[in-house]
Amino acid sequence: MVGYRSAMAGTVLCLVVSSSMLVMMVAAAAASARPPAMFVFGDSTLDVGNNNYLPGPGVPRANRPFYGIDFPGAVATGRFSNGYNIADYLAKSMGFPCSPPPYLSLAQNTGRLVRAAIGGGVSYASGGAGILDSTNAGNNIPLSKQLEYFKSTKSQMVAKLGSRAANLLLAKSVFLFSVGSNDLFVFAVAEQKQNKSSADQQRDAGALYASLVSGYSAAVQELHALGARKLAVINVGLLGCVPTARLNDAAGACSDALNQLASGFDDALASMLAGIASRLRRPGFAYSLADYYGLSAATFDDPRAVGYTDIAGACCGGGRLGAEAPCLPNATVCANRDQHAFWDAVHPSQRGAMLTAQNFYDSRPGRYTAPINFKQLAQTSL
């Protein structure tokens, strides 16, 4: 039996520095090829522990076994993974010693918050979060609140460093986004319960896309106004192929309807980003859009090419496809975790996160990223 520890007691920062070193760190980061910081926004695919600090029985948490079984020290950190997640691997690829810590682990200590922001960034991502405030309301940090937390972070940075130094750091930092999946899941479940016609569903989906794009666009433009210049965005993957969605088919096949819903949103997201980039090019703006949908489709078409033997079931869970019961301390856990695409009923395994980050970071632009990859974005000078 593997021994487990919970990370609720506090998050260890990668870098611990004194106040006198802060300005020196900003200058050094500005001269380095590595971005000075990475600020993370989104849902459970990127959450590194914020939900550990949220009250309420309905909050999704991953601070218990068997989450973290492959994390160093077998710590259940709050990541919805058997180990590291996509944010972790992207951070390491960009040269950071580890992923930015969760905001809520720092919020009560201004000094620690500023040191983290300057030393490598902060994560605001929250499991269950959506673009819309109404998505899983009360049980996560919605995107709008994540933006409020970042605004507060910047205010503290400005108070410590001054406006010029803070803005210089933010302009060279990477802002990572992965959000939208939960909005689509909630919508799909509601539509299914109402048994609507195909025409009504298409009309409703169009209205949903408009609402999501409006919220996403407002968030991006607000961040730009606050000093963000480099945006790394991950679109929505094959939602209809996660284990919990496959339960709706007797043979365990993917849900075409849910995949089509995700594809439609991804098209709208791509158009939105291109439009924002054209408007903000003169004041300075660069982005990379990662195609999680396309990468997932290619992986599922030939799973053995990347070493997967199971792309349908959850490694940790119970019942059919391992998706009828949650990943709890009494769950069944597979032994060959690196051969599973999914860790639990909806989240990728640690290896899945690693492969995803690798493809988004330095694969040929145009394959799974556009117009540039994440590595090129991180190294872009504006």
Side-chain angles (χ1 to χ4, degrees), residues 175-213:
F175 289 73
L176 175 64
F177 273 81
S178 179
V179 68
S181 296
N182 291 308
D183 301 285
L184 300 181
F185 270 129
V186 169
F187 171 84
V189 170
E191 290 288 292
Q192 186 177 35
K193 289 180 178 179
Q194 295 177 38
N195 195 27
K196 292 187 175 182
S197 68
S198 177
D200 286 343
Q201 289 178 14
Q202 290 181 5
R203 184 196 65 234
D204 291 350
L208 174 68
Y209 294 153
S211 181
L212 294 180
V213 167

PDB file of all heavy atoms in Angstrom, residues 175-213:
ATOM      1  N   PHE A 175       0.436  33.723 -20.285  1.00  0.00           N
ATOM      2  CA  PHE A 175      -0.864  33.562 -19.649  1.00  0.00           C
ATOM      3  C   PHE A 175      -1.542  32.341 -20.276  1.00  0.00           C
ATOM      4  O   PHE A 175      -1.883  32.349 -21.455  1.00  0.00           O
ATOM      5  CB  PHE A 175      -1.706  34.825 -19.827  1.00  0.00           C
ATOM      6  CG  PHE A 175      -1.212  35.990 -19.014  1.00  0.00           C
ATOM      7  CD1 PHE A 175      -0.053  36.672 -19.378  1.00  0.00           C
ATOM      8  CD2 PHE A 175      -1.882  36.396 -17.865  1.00  0.00           C
ATOM      9  CE1 PHE A 175       0.425  37.732 -18.617  1.00  0.00           C
ATOM     10  CE2 PHE A 175      -1.416  37.453 -17.096  1.00  0.00           C
ATOM     11  CZ  PHE A 175      -0.255  38.129 -17.469  1.00  0.00           C
ATOM     12  N   LEU A 176      -1.684  31.301 -19.479  1.00  0.00           N
ATOM     13  CA  LEU A 176      -2.185  30.013 -19.957  1.00  0.00           C
ATOM     14  C   LEU A 176      -3.665  29.845 -19.624  1.00  0.00           C
ATOM     15  O   LEU A 176      -4.076  30.049 -18.483  1.00  0.00           O
ATOM     16  CB  LEU A 176      -1.375  28.882 -19.325  1.00  0.00           C
ATOM     17  CG  LEU A 176      -1.822  27.448 -19.616  1.00  0.00           C
ATOM     18  CD1 LEU A 176      -1.688  27.116 -21.097  1.00  0.00           C
ATOM     19  CD2 LEU A 176      -1.006  26.459 -18.767  1.00  0.00           C
ATOM     20  N   PHE A 177      -4.439  29.425 -20.626  1.00  0.00           N
ATOM     21  CA  PHE A 177      -5.883  29.228 -20.472  1.00  0.00           C
ATOM     22  C   PHE A 177      -6.300  27.836 -20.927  1.00  0.00           C
ATOM     23  O   PHE A 177      -5.856  27.345 -21.970  1.00  0.00           O
ATOM     24  CB  PHE A 177      -6.658  30.227 -21.343  1.00  0.00           C
ATOM     25  CG  PHE A 177      -6.931  31.552 -20.704  1.00  0.00           C
ATOM     26  CD1 PHE A 177      -5.958  32.533 -20.673  1.00  0.00           C
ATOM     27  CD2 PHE A 177      -8.172  31.832 -20.144  1.00  0.00           C
ATOM     28  CE1 PHE A 177      -6.217  33.770 -20.109  1.00  0.00           C
ATOM     29  CE2 PHE A 177      -8.436  33.055 -19.570  1.00  0.00           C
ATOM     30  CZ  PHE A 177      -7.456  34.032 -19.551  1.00  0.00           C
ATOM     31  N   SER A 178      -7.192  27.214 -20.167  1.00  0.00           N
ATOM     32  CA  SER A 178      -7.907  26.015 -20.604  1.00  0.00           C
ATOM     33  C   SER A 178      -9.246  26.011 -19.882  1.00  0.00           C
ATOM     34  O   SER A 178      -9.326  25.667 -18.708  1.00  0.00           O
ATOM     35  CB  SER A 178      -7.128  24.732 -20.279  1.00  0.00           C
ATOM     36  OG  SER A 178      -7.858  23.589 -20.693  1.00  0.00           O
ATOM     37  N   VAL A 179     -10.289  26.417 -20.595  1.00  0.00           N
ATOM     38  CA  VAL A 179     -11.612  26.551 -19.973  1.00  0.00           C
ATOM     39  C   VAL A 179     -12.689  26.421 -21.042  1.00  0.00           C
ATOM     40  O   VAL A 179     -12.434  26.695 -22.216  1.00  0.00           O
ATOM     41  CB  VAL A 179     -11.722  27.910 -19.237  1.00  0.00           C
ATOM     42  CG1 VAL A 179     -11.724  29.077 -20.212  1.00  0.00           C
ATOM     43  CG2 VAL A 179     -12.915  27.961 -18.307  1.00  0.00           C
ATOM     44  N   GLY A 180     -13.866  25.985 -20.640  1.00  0.00           N
ATOM     45  CA  GLY A 180     -14.977  25.840 -21.570  1.00  0.00           C
ATOM     46  C   GLY A 180     -15.630  24.469 -21.514  1.00  0.00           C
ATOM     47  O   GLY A 180     -16.820  24.322 -21.807  1.00  0.00           O
ATOM     48  N   SER A 181     -14.847  23.464 -21.126  1.00  0.00           N
ATOM     49  CA  SER A 181     -15.378  22.094 -21.084  1.00  0.00           C
ATOM     50  C   SER A 181     -16.571  21.963 -20.148  1.00  0.00           C
ATOM     51  O   SER A 181     -17.583  21.329 -20.480  1.00  0.00           O
ATOM     52  CB  SER A 181     -14.281  21.118 -20.644  1.00  0.00           C
ATOM     53  OG  SER A 181     -13.232  21.071 -21.571  1.00  0.00           O
ATOM     54  N   ASN A 182     -16.458  22.548 -18.975  1.00  0.00           N
ATOM     55  CA  ASN A 182     -17.542  22.418 -17.999  1.00  0.00           C
ATOM     56  C   ASN A 182     -18.814  23.122 -18.458  1.00  0.00           C
ATOM     57  O   ASN A 182     -19.927  22.633 -18.210  1.00  0.00           O
ATOM     58  CB  ASN A 182     -17.094  22.955 -16.641  1.00  0.00           C
ATOM     59  CG  ASN A 182     -16.045  22.073 -15.996  1.00  0.00           C
ATOM     60  OD1 ASN A 182     -16.223  20.876 -15.863  1.00  0.00           O
ATOM     61  ND2 ASN A 182     -14.924  22.668 -15.610  1.00  0.00           N
ATOM     62  N   ASP A 183     -18.665  24.249 -19.129  1.00  0.00           N
ATOM     63  CA  ASP A 183     -19.835  24.941 -19.670  1.00  0.00           C
ATOM     64  C   ASP A 183     -20.567  24.034 -20.654  1.00  0.00           C
ATOM     65  O   ASP A 183     -21.797  23.965 -20.657  1.00  0.00           O
ATOM     66  CB  ASP A 183     -19.404  26.221 -20.383  1.00  0.00           C
ATOM     67  CG  ASP A 183     -18.669  27.187 -19.477  1.00  0.00           C
ATOM     68  OD1 ASP A 183     -19.320  27.835 -18.643  1.00  0.00           O
ATOM     69  OD2 ASP A 183     -17.438  27.286 -19.604  1.00  0.00           O
ATOM     70  N   LEU A 184     -19.813  23.352 -21.505  1.00  0.00           N
ATOM     71  CA  LEU A 184     -20.412  22.474 -22.512  1.00  0.00           C
ATOM     72  C   LEU A 184     -21.045  21.241 -21.875  1.00  0.00           C
ATOM     73  O   LEU A 184     -22.119  20.796 -22.295  1.00  0.00           O
ATOM     74  CB  LEU A 184     -19.357  22.066 -23.540  1.00  0.00           C
ATOM     75  CG  LEU A 184     -18.692  23.214 -24.313  1.00  0.00           C
ATOM     76  CD1 LEU A 184     -17.697  22.670 -25.321  1.00  0.00           C
ATOM     77  CD2 LEU A 184     -19.739  24.077 -25.022  1.00  0.00           C
ATOM     78  N   PHE A 185     -20.375  20.675 -20.871  1.00  0.00           N
ATOM     79  CA  PHE A 185     -20.940  19.517 -20.162  1.00  0.00           C
ATOM     80  C   PHE A 185     -22.280  19.869 -19.524  1.00  0.00           C
ATOM     81  O   PHE A 185     -23.264  19.127 -19.651  1.00  0.00           O
ATOM     82  CB  PHE A 185     -19.974  19.034 -19.072  1.00  0.00           C
ATOM     83  CG  PHE A 185     -18.988  18.002 -19.525  1.00  0.00           C
ATOM     84  CD1 PHE A 185     -17.632  18.170 -19.274  1.00  0.00           C
ATOM     85  CD2 PHE A 185     -19.400  16.850 -20.172  1.00  0.00           C
ATOM     86  CE1 PHE A 185     -16.706  17.212 -19.683  1.00  0.00           C
ATOM     87  CE2 PHE A 185     -18.480  15.886 -20.580  1.00  0.00           C
ATOM     88  CZ  PHE A 185     -17.134  16.074 -20.335  1.00  0.00           C
ATOM     89  N   VAL A 186     -22.320  20.980 -18.809  1.00  0.00           N
ATOM     90  CA  VAL A 186     -23.543  21.390 -18.123  1.00  0.00           C
ATOM     91  C   VAL A 186     -24.665  21.627 -19.131  1.00  0.00           C
ATOM     92  O   VAL A 186     -25.818  21.216 -18.928  1.00  0.00           O
ATOM     93  CB  VAL A 186     -23.283  22.659 -17.278  1.00  0.00           C
ATOM     94  CG1 VAL A 186     -24.594  23.260 -16.780  1.00  0.00           C
ATOM     95  CG2 VAL A 186     -22.368  22.336 -16.105  1.00  0.00           C
ATOM     96  N   PHE A 187     -24.337  22.287 -20.228  1.00  0.00           N
ATOM     97  CA  PHE A 187     -25.320  22.547 -21.275  1.00  0.00           C
ATOM     98  C   PHE A 187     -25.860  21.244 -21.857  1.00  0.00           C
ATOM     99  O   PHE A 187     -27.082  21.080 -22.028  1.00  0.00           O
ATOM    100  CB  PHE A 187     -24.679  23.388 -22.373  1.00  0.00           C
ATOM    101  CG  PHE A 187     -25.528  23.534 -23.611  1.00  0.00           C
ATOM    102  CD1 PHE A 187     -26.511  24.504 -23.673  1.00  0.00           C
ATOM    103  CD2 PHE A 187     -25.338  22.700 -24.713  1.00  0.00           C
ATOM    104  CE1 PHE A 187     -27.307  24.643 -24.815  1.00  0.00           C
ATOM    105  CE2 PHE A 187     -26.117  22.830 -25.850  1.00  0.00           C
ATOM    106  CZ  PHE A 187     -27.098  23.805 -25.910  1.00  0.00           C
ATOM    107  N   ALA A 188     -24.968  20.305 -22.168  1.00  0.00           N
ATOM    108  CA  ALA A 188     -25.369  19.046 -22.788  1.00  0.00           C
ATOM    109  C   ALA A 188     -26.292  18.245 -21.886  1.00  0.00           C
ATOM    110  O   ALA A 188     -27.280  17.655 -22.341  1.00  0.00           O
ATOM    111  CB  ALA A 188     -24.140  18.229 -23.149  1.00  0.00           C
ATOM    112  N   VAL A 189     -25.993  18.219 -20.609  1.00  0.00           N
ATOM    113  CA  VAL A 189     -26.834  17.487 -19.658  1.00  0.00           C
ATOM    114  C   VAL A 189     -28.227  18.110 -19.588  1.00  0.00           C
ATOM    115  O   VAL A 189     -29.245  17.408 -19.584  1.00  0.00           O
ATOM    116  CB  VAL A 189     -26.182  17.466 -18.259  1.00  0.00           C
ATOM    117  CG1 VAL A 189     -27.158  16.927 -17.227  1.00  0.00           C
ATOM    118  CG2 VAL A 189     -24.914  16.628 -18.282  1.00  0.00           C
ATOM    119  N   ALA A 190     -28.287  19.433 -19.558  1.00  0.00           N
ATOM    120  CA  ALA A 190     -29.577  20.127 -19.488  1.00  0.00           C
ATOM    121  C   ALA A 190     -30.400  19.879 -20.746  1.00  0.00           C
ATOM    122  O   ALA A 190     -31.619  19.656 -20.675  1.00  0.00           O
ATOM    123  CB  ALA A 190     -29.353  21.622 -19.287  1.00  0.00           C
ATOM    124  N   GLU A 191     -29.756  19.918 -21.904  1.00  0.00           N
ATOM    125  CA  GLU A 191     -30.465  19.693 -23.161  1.00  0.00           C
ATOM    126  C   GLU A 191     -31.014  18.272 -23.233  1.00  0.00           C
ATOM    127  O   GLU A 191     -32.130  18.044 -23.708  1.00  0.00           O
ATOM    128  CB  GLU A 191     -29.515  19.940 -24.338  1.00  0.00           C
ATOM    129  CG  GLU A 191     -29.131  21.385 -24.528  1.00  0.00           C
ATOM    130  CD  GLU A 191     -30.266  22.228 -25.078  1.00  0.00           C
ATOM    131  OE1 GLU A 191     -30.653  22.031 -26.235  1.00  0.00           O
ATOM    132  OE2 GLU A 191     -30.761  23.095 -24.329  1.00  0.00           O
ATOM    133  N   GLN A 192     -30.229  17.324 -22.755  1.00  0.00           N
ATOM    134  CA  GLN A 192     -30.654  15.926 -22.793  1.00  0.00           C
ATOM    135  C   GLN A 192     -31.889  15.700 -21.927  1.00  0.00           C
ATOM    136  O   GLN A 192     -32.812  14.968 -22.298  1.00  0.00           O
ATOM    137  CB  GLN A 192     -29.514  15.025 -22.347  1.00  0.00           C
ATOM    138  CG  GLN A 192     -29.791  13.537 -22.491  1.00  0.00           C
ATOM    139  CD  GLN A 192     -28.592  12.699 -22.088  1.00  0.00           C
ATOM    140  OE1 GLN A 192     -27.849  13.038 -21.171  1.00  0.00           O
ATOM    141  NE2 GLN A 192     -28.395  11.585 -22.785  1.00  0.00           N
ATOM    142  N   LYS A 193     -31.918  16.347 -20.778  1.00  0.00           N
ATOM    143  CA  LYS A 193     -33.058  16.192 -19.868  1.00  0.00           C
ATOM    144  C   LYS A 193     -34.343  16.777 -20.450  1.00  0.00           C
ATOM    145  O   LYS A 193     -35.443  16.284 -20.187  1.00  0.00           O
ATOM    146  CB  LYS A 193     -32.751  16.872 -18.526  1.00  0.00           C
ATOM    147  CG  LYS A 193     -31.714  16.139 -17.683  1.00  0.00           C
ATOM    148  CD  LYS A 193     -31.479  16.871 -16.373  1.00  0.00           C
ATOM    149  CE  LYS A 193     -30.479  16.128 -15.499  1.00  0.00           C
ATOM    150  NZ  LYS A 193     -30.217  16.844 -14.217  1.00  0.00           N
ATOM    151  N   GLN A 194     -34.186  17.815 -21.274  1.00  0.00           N
ATOM    152  CA  GLN A 194     -35.362  18.487 -21.817  1.00  0.00           C
ATOM    153  C   GLN A 194     -35.870  17.844 -23.102  1.00  0.00           C
ATOM    154  O   GLN A 194     -36.922  18.219 -23.615  1.00  0.00           O
ATOM    155  CB  GLN A 194     -35.044  19.965 -22.062  1.00  0.00           C
ATOM    156  CG  GLN A 194     -34.746  20.733 -20.788  1.00  0.00           C
ATOM    157  CD  GLN A 194     -34.360  22.179 -21.059  1.00  0.00           C
ATOM    158  OE1 GLN A 194     -34.906  22.821 -21.942  1.00  0.00           O
ATOM    159  NE2 GLN A 194     -33.398  22.689 -20.297  1.00  0.00           N
ATOM    160  N   ASN A 195     -35.107  16.891 -23.643  1.00  0.00           N
ATOM    161  CA  ASN A 195     -35.538  16.126 -24.815  1.00  0.00           C
ATOM    162  C   ASN A 195     -35.970  17.053 -25.961  1.00  0.00           C
ATOM    163  O   ASN A 195     -37.056  16.896 -26.546  1.00  0.00           O
ATOM    164  CB  ASN A 195     -36.680  15.177 -24.437  1.00  0.00           C
ATOM    165  CG  ASN A 195     -36.913  14.108 -25.493  1.00  0.00           C
ATOM    166  OD1 ASN A 195     -35.997  13.738 -26.230  1.00  0.00           O
ATOM    167  ND2 ASN A 195     -38.142  13.630 -25.587  1.00  0.00           N
ATOM    168  N   LYS A 196     -35.133  18.000 -26.308  1.00  0.00           N
ATOM    169  CA  LYS A 196     -35.469  18.987 -27.334  1.00  0.00           C
ATOM    170  C   LYS A 196     -35.230  18.437 -28.737  1.00  0.00           C
ATOM    171  O   LYS A 196     -34.464  17.499 -28.938  1.00  0.00           O
ATOM    172  CB  LYS A 196     -34.642  20.256 -27.131  1.00  0.00           C
ATOM    173  CG  LYS A 196     -35.001  21.031 -25.878  1.00  0.00           C
ATOM    174  CD  LYS A 196     -34.273  22.355 -25.840  1.00  0.00           C
ATOM    175  CE  LYS A 196     -34.717  23.191 -24.642  1.00  0.00           C
ATOM    176  NZ  LYS A 196     -34.041  24.517 -24.606  1.00  0.00           N
ATOM    177  N   SER A 197     -35.858  19.075 -29.699  1.00  0.00           N
ATOM    178  CA  SER A 197     -35.674  18.698 -31.096  1.00  0.00           C
ATOM    179  C   SER A 197     -34.291  19.107 -31.568  1.00  0.00           C
ATOM    180  O   SER A 197     -33.621  19.941 -30.943  1.00  0.00           O
ATOM    181  CB  SER A 197     -36.722  19.383 -31.971  1.00  0.00           C
ATOM    182  OG  SER A 197     -36.491  20.784 -32.009  1.00  0.00           O
ATOM    183  N   SER A 198     -33.881  18.541 -32.701  1.00  0.00           N
ATOM    184  CA  SER A 198     -32.565  18.859 -33.256  1.00  0.00           C
ATOM    185  C   SER A 198     -32.451  20.345 -33.584  1.00  0.00           C
ATOM    186  O   SER A 198     -31.420  20.976 -33.331  1.00  0.00           O
ATOM    187  CB  SER A 198     -32.316  18.030 -34.508  1.00  0.00           C
ATOM    188  OG  SER A 198     -31.083  18.365 -35.097  1.00  0.00           O
ATOM    189  N   ALA A 199     -33.498  20.918 -34.135  1.00  0.00           N
ATOM    190  CA  ALA A 199     -33.482  22.340 -34.492  1.00  0.00           C
ATOM    191  C   ALA A 199     -33.342  23.218 -33.247  1.00  0.00           C
ATOM    192  O   ALA A 199     -32.582  24.204 -33.238  1.00  0.00           O
ATOM    193  CB  ALA A 199     -34.748  22.702 -35.246  1.00  0.00           C
ATOM    194  N   ASP A 200     -34.085  22.855 -32.198  1.00  0.00           N
ATOM    195  CA  ASP A 200     -34.000  23.627 -30.955  1.00  0.00           C
ATOM    196  C   ASP A 200     -32.608  23.510 -30.331  1.00  0.00           C
ATOM    197  O   ASP A 200     -32.071  24.485 -29.784  1.00  0.00           O
ATOM    198  CB  ASP A 200     -35.052  23.144 -29.959  1.00  0.00           C
ATOM    199  CG  ASP A 200     -36.455  23.591 -30.329  1.00  0.00           C
ATOM    200  OD1 ASP A 200     -36.574  24.522 -31.138  1.00  0.00           O
ATOM    201  OD2 ASP A 200     -37.417  22.994 -29.811  1.00  0.00           O
ATOM    202  N   GLN A 201     -32.022  22.321 -30.398  1.00  0.00           N
ATOM    203  CA  GLN A 201     -30.690  22.110 -29.852  1.00  0.00           C
ATOM    204  C   GLN A 201     -29.643  22.946 -30.596  1.00  0.00           C
ATOM    205  O   GLN A 201     -28.751  23.522 -29.985  1.00  0.00           O
ATOM    206  CB  GLN A 201     -30.323  20.631 -29.906  1.00  0.00           C
ATOM    207  CG  GLN A 201     -31.098  19.761 -28.927  1.00  0.00           C
ATOM    208  CD  GLN A 201     -30.748  18.293 -29.043  1.00  0.00           C
ATOM    209  OE1 GLN A 201     -29.759  17.927 -29.669  1.00  0.00           O
ATOM    210  NE2 GLN A 201     -31.576  17.441 -28.453  1.00  0.00           N
ATOM    211  N   GLN A 202     -29.770  23.005 -31.917  1.00  0.00           N
ATOM    212  CA  GLN A 202     -28.835  23.810 -32.705  1.00  0.00           C
ATOM    213  C   GLN A 202     -28.968  25.291 -32.367  1.00  0.00           C
ATOM    214  O   GLN A 202     -27.968  26.012 -32.262  1.00  0.00           O
ATOM    215  CB  GLN A 202     -29.084  23.577 -34.193  1.00  0.00           C
ATOM    216  CG  GLN A 202     -28.664  22.193 -34.679  1.00  0.00           C
ATOM    217  CD  GLN A 202     -28.917  22.009 -36.163  1.00  0.00           C
ATOM    218  OE1 GLN A 202     -29.314  22.936 -36.857  1.00  0.00           O
ATOM    219  NE2 GLN A 202     -28.687  20.804 -36.646  1.00  0.00           N
ATOM    220  N   ARG A 203     -30.209  25.745 -32.211  1.00  0.00           N
ATOM    221  CA  ARG A 203     -30.432  27.145 -31.846  1.00  0.00           C
ATOM    222  C   ARG A 203     -29.839  27.441 -30.470  1.00  0.00           C
ATOM    223  O   ARG A 203     -29.167  28.460 -30.260  1.00  0.00           O
ATOM    224  CB  ARG A 203     -31.929  27.445 -31.853  1.00  0.00           C
ATOM    225  CG  ARG A 203     -32.254  28.928 -31.573  1.00  0.00           C
ATOM    226  CD  ARG A 203     -33.702  29.121 -31.209  1.00  0.00           C
ATOM    227  NE  ARG A 203     -34.040  28.465 -29.951  1.00  0.00           N
ATOM    228  CZ  ARG A 203     -35.022  27.592 -29.799  1.00  0.00           C
ATOM    229  NH1 ARG A 203     -35.769  27.238 -30.835  1.00  0.00           N
ATOM    230  NH2 ARG A 203     -35.266  27.054 -28.611  1.00  0.00           N
ATOM    231  N   ASP A 204     -30.077  26.539 -29.531  1.00  0.00           N
ATOM    232  CA  ASP A 204     -29.546  26.720 -28.176  1.00  0.00           C
ATOM    233  C   ASP A 204     -28.023  26.702 -28.166  1.00  0.00           C
ATOM    234  O   ASP A 204     -27.384  27.460 -27.421  1.00  0.00           O
ATOM    235  CB  ASP A 204     -30.081  25.630 -27.255  1.00  0.00           C
ATOM    236  CG  ASP A 204     -31.574  25.762 -26.989  1.00  0.00           C
ATOM    237  OD1 ASP A 204     -32.154  26.805 -27.354  1.00  0.00           O
ATOM    238  OD2 ASP A 204     -32.156  24.814 -26.428  1.00  0.00           O
ATOM    239  N   ALA A 205     -27.432  25.802 -28.970  1.00  0.00           N
ATOM    240  CA  ALA A 205     -25.972  25.727 -29.036  1.00  0.00           C
ATOM    241  C   ALA A 205     -25.387  27.023 -29.580  1.00  0.00           C
ATOM    242  O   ALA A 205     -24.363  27.513 -29.091  1.00  0.00           O
ATOM    243  CB  ALA A 205     -25.546  24.542 -29.905  1.00  0.00           C
ATOM    244  N   GLY A 206     -26.045  27.592 -30.579  1.00  0.00           N
ATOM    245  CA  GLY A 206     -25.568  28.864 -31.136  1.00  0.00           C
ATOM    246  C   GLY A 206     -25.593  29.971 -30.104  1.00  0.00           C
ATOM    247  O   GLY A 206     -24.661  30.781 -30.013  1.00  0.00           O
ATOM    248  N   ALA A 207     -26.650  30.001 -29.307  1.00  0.00           N
ATOM    249  CA  ALA A 207     -26.744  31.009 -28.244  1.00  0.00           C
ATOM    250  C   ALA A 207     -25.676  30.778 -27.181  1.00  0.00           C
ATOM    251  O   ALA A 207     -25.088  31.733 -26.653  1.00  0.00           O
ATOM    252  CB  ALA A 207     -28.136  30.955 -27.610  1.00  0.00           C
ATOM    253  N   LEU A 208     -25.416  29.506 -26.877  1.00  0.00           N
ATOM    254  CA  LEU A 208     -24.378  29.186 -25.899  1.00  0.00           C
ATOM    255  C   LEU A 208     -23.009  29.649 -26.389  1.00  0.00           C
ATOM    256  O   LEU A 208     -22.254  30.285 -25.644  1.00  0.00           O
ATOM    257  CB  LEU A 208     -24.335  27.680 -25.634  1.00  0.00           C
ATOM    258  CG  LEU A 208     -23.189  27.193 -24.741  1.00  0.00           C
ATOM    259  CD1 LEU A 208     -23.382  27.685 -23.307  1.00  0.00           C
ATOM    260  CD2 LEU A 208     -23.074  25.667 -24.765  1.00  0.00           C
ATOM    261  N   TYR A 209     -22.681  29.343 -27.647  1.00  0.00           N
ATOM    262  CA  TYR A 209     -21.390  29.761 -28.197  1.00  0.00           C
ATOM    263  C   TYR A 209     -21.212  31.272 -28.093  1.00  0.00           C
ATOM    264  O   TYR A 209     -20.140  31.760 -27.721  1.00  0.00           O
ATOM    265  CB  TYR A 209     -21.277  29.349 -29.669  1.00  0.00           C
ATOM    266  CG  TYR A 209     -21.235  27.864 -29.927  1.00  0.00           C
ATOM    267  CD1 TYR A 209     -21.679  27.343 -31.144  1.00  0.00           C
ATOM    268  CD2 TYR A 209     -20.755  26.966 -28.976  1.00  0.00           C
ATOM    269  CE1 TYR A 209     -21.641  25.980 -31.397  1.00  0.00           C
ATOM    270  CE2 TYR A 209     -20.719  25.606 -29.215  1.00  0.00           C
ATOM    271  CZ  TYR A 209     -21.166  25.114 -30.436  1.00  0.00           C
ATOM    272  OH  TYR A 209     -21.132  23.770 -30.684  1.00  0.00           O
ATOM    273  N   ALA A 210     -22.278  32.000 -28.437  1.00  0.00           N
ATOM    274  CA  ALA A 210     -22.204  33.464 -28.382  1.00  0.00           C
ATOM    275  C   ALA A 210     -21.914  33.945 -26.965  1.00  0.00           C
ATOM    276  O   ALA A 210     -21.092  34.851 -26.748  1.00  0.00           O
ATOM    277  CB  ALA A 210     -23.508  34.068 -28.896  1.00  0.00           C
ATOM    278  N   SER A 211     -22.559  33.323 -25.989  1.00  0.00           N
ATOM    279  CA  SER A 211     -22.357  33.712 -24.593  1.00  0.00           C
ATOM    280  C   SER A 211     -20.946  33.369 -24.122  1.00  0.00           C
ATOM    281  O   SER A 211     -20.285  34.177 -23.450  1.00  0.00           O
ATOM    282  CB  SER A 211     -23.390  33.012 -23.717  1.00  0.00           C
ATOM    283  OG  SER A 211     -23.244  33.379 -22.366  1.00  0.00           O
ATOM    284  N   LEU A 212     -20.476  32.180 -24.487  1.00  0.00           N
ATOM    285  CA  LEU A 212     -19.141  31.747 -24.071  1.00  0.00           C
ATOM    286  C   LEU A 212     -18.056  32.611 -24.713  1.00  0.00           C
ATOM    287  O   LEU A 212     -17.093  33.021 -24.050  1.00  0.00           O
ATOM    288  CB  LEU A 212     -18.924  30.283 -24.428  1.00  0.00           C
ATOM    289  CG  LEU A 212     -19.797  29.258 -23.696  1.00  0.00           C
ATOM    290  CD1 LEU A 212     -19.465  27.844 -24.164  1.00  0.00           C
ATOM    291  CD2 LEU A 212     -19.607  29.368 -22.188  1.00  0.00           C
ATOM    292  N   VAL A 213     -18.195  32.879 -26.000  1.00  0.00           N
ATOM    293  CA  VAL A 213     -17.198  33.693 -26.700  1.00  0.00           C
ATOM    294  C   VAL A 213     -17.181  35.114 -26.150  1.00  0.00           C
ATOM    295  O   VAL A 213     -16.120  35.725 -25.999  1.00  0.00           O
ATOM    296  CB  VAL A 213     -17.476  33.698 -28.217  1.00  0.00           C
ATOM    297  CG1 VAL A 213     -16.667  34.781 -28.918  1.00  0.00           C
ATOM    298  CG2 VAL A 213     -17.144  32.330 -28.817  1.00  0.00           C
TER     299      VAL A 213
END
